Amino acid sequence: PITLGHEAVGVITAVGSDISPSRIGQRVINYYYVGCANCRWCNRGDEQLCPNLKAEHGFISDGGLAGYIRTPSRNAVVIPDSLEFVDAAPIGCGVTTAVHAAKLGRVDSTQDECALVYGCNGVGFGLVQLLKNVYGIKNVGVVARSEAKRKMAIELGADFAIDGTDASSVAAAVREKTGGGEGVDVLFECVGTRDTLDSCVGWVGALGRRGRLVLVGYHQGEDHEFRCHPIPMIVYEQTVVGSVGAT
């Protein structure tokens, strides 16, 4: 058994003998991947892909819901005093996962692209803000079952919001919102159920020609495996990439 909590913030109360005592008392957020520091992935700065993790707080080792956690000094990132812990904690995964996914999605504001965020959760809301405020994507849409979440996504900058209650109707609704029914250029799938995944791909799926499908959300079990026929993806020259955590 382990203690959960991968989005952890706190105050440094003790340090090892090779760490400056000046770090004691610092307010920090924890980067929860602790790589082996020897493999090619760690050497590239991609510790989230390390095959020999020493720790992954909240997943394979005790997380932030414990009274204390032990983490390398480099993983304890100082946060400003103006940032409350309750606001800082989601940065540990929700925000940084969105940052990493956006990079893998190769979003490009110079190509007049349309982006879709399927699922308004912590990562989804982060993606909306990144796509609009950092990448400058002119047309950003969201899909969510909750009316309140669709409303919040619009307030955060989304240009259109689609009701995802009936997943079978989502692709047609997305194509109606895109120029000439083309579908979107990049789609961030943050749900990961069979129904939501099915609506993304295929001849008339939400993903358009040369579209990039970034898989972020997931559900366990064979019922939610991602399955699609290769012919539409080949003809449309589409790309599928998984995105986990952050660097």
Side-chain angles (χ1 to χ4, degrees):
I2 62 169
T3 304
L4 300 178
H6 65 293
E7 294 177 322
V9 292
V11 177
I12 296 177
T13 59
V15 296
S17 59
D18 58 342
I19 303 299
S20 171
S22 64
R23 295 223 59 183
I24 296 175
Q26 289 181 343
R27 303 170 71 253
V28 297
I29 186 170
N30 182 55
Y31 174 65
Y32 57 89
Y33 289 104
V34 183
C36 68
N38 295 314
C39 70
R40 62 172 176 153
W41 303 108
C42 286
N43 290 334
R44 293 175 180 178
D46 288 318
E47 289 179 274
Q48 81 281 6
L49 297 179
C50 175
N52 303 300
L53 287 171
K54 293 182 178 179
E56 187 180 0
H57 299 291
F59 290 96
I60 62 174
S61 45
D62 286 337
L65 294 179
Y68 297 88
I69 59 173
R70 182 174 65 179
T71 192
S73 179
R74 67 184 297 271
N75 287 53
V77 182
V78 176
I79 58 176
D81 291 336
S82 59
L83 189 59
E84 298 291 338
F85 281 156
V86 68
D87 297 318
I91 297 173
C93 179
V95 174
T96 52
T97 296
V99 171
H100 186 55
K103 290 180 179 178
L104 292 180
R106 309 191 315 276
V107 292
D108 188 354
S109 62
T110 67
Q111 298 299 316
D112 196 27
E113 292 190 326
C114 178
L116 182 72
V117 178
Y118 202 137
C120 288
N121 44 33
V123 178
F125 285 132
L127 278 165
V128 169
Q129 295 173 85
L130 282 165
L131 293 169
K132 295 300 295 186
N133 301 326
V134 176
Y135 289 96
I137 303 301
K138 294 181 180 179
N139 197 13
V140 175
V142 300
V143 178
R145 293 180 299 178
S146 165
E147 181 179 356
K149 288 186 176 182
R150 294 196 299 273
K151 181 180 178 181
M152 178 173 287
I154 295 295
E155 292 174 352
L156 291 174
D159 299 289
F160 65 89
I162 293 171
D163 186 352
T165 303
D166 179 7
S168 66
S169 67
V170 167
V174 170
R175 285 182 173 267
E176 186 178 336
K177 293 288 187 179
T178 55
E182 283 286 322
V184 298
D185 299 291
V186 58
L187 196 163
F188 299 92
E189 214 290 0
C190 300
V191 182
T193 65
R194 172 65 61 77
D195 289 345
T196 60
L197 291 165
D198 284 349
S199 69
C200 297
V201 294
W203 293 114
V204 290
L207 191 67
R209 287 169 171 78
R210 284 200 175 168
R212 288 94 66 198
L213 175 60
V214 184
L215 302 179
V216 183
Y218 52 85
H219 279 67
Q220 290 186 336
E222 294 182 358
D223 289 344
H224 300 297
E225 288 182 349
F226 176 46
R227 299 176 182 176
C228 63
H229 200 285
I231 291 180
M233 303 201 79
I234 292 170
V235 173
Y236 289 163
E237 296 188 352
Q238 296 170 332
T239 303
V240 180
V241 61
S243 179
V244 62
T247 61

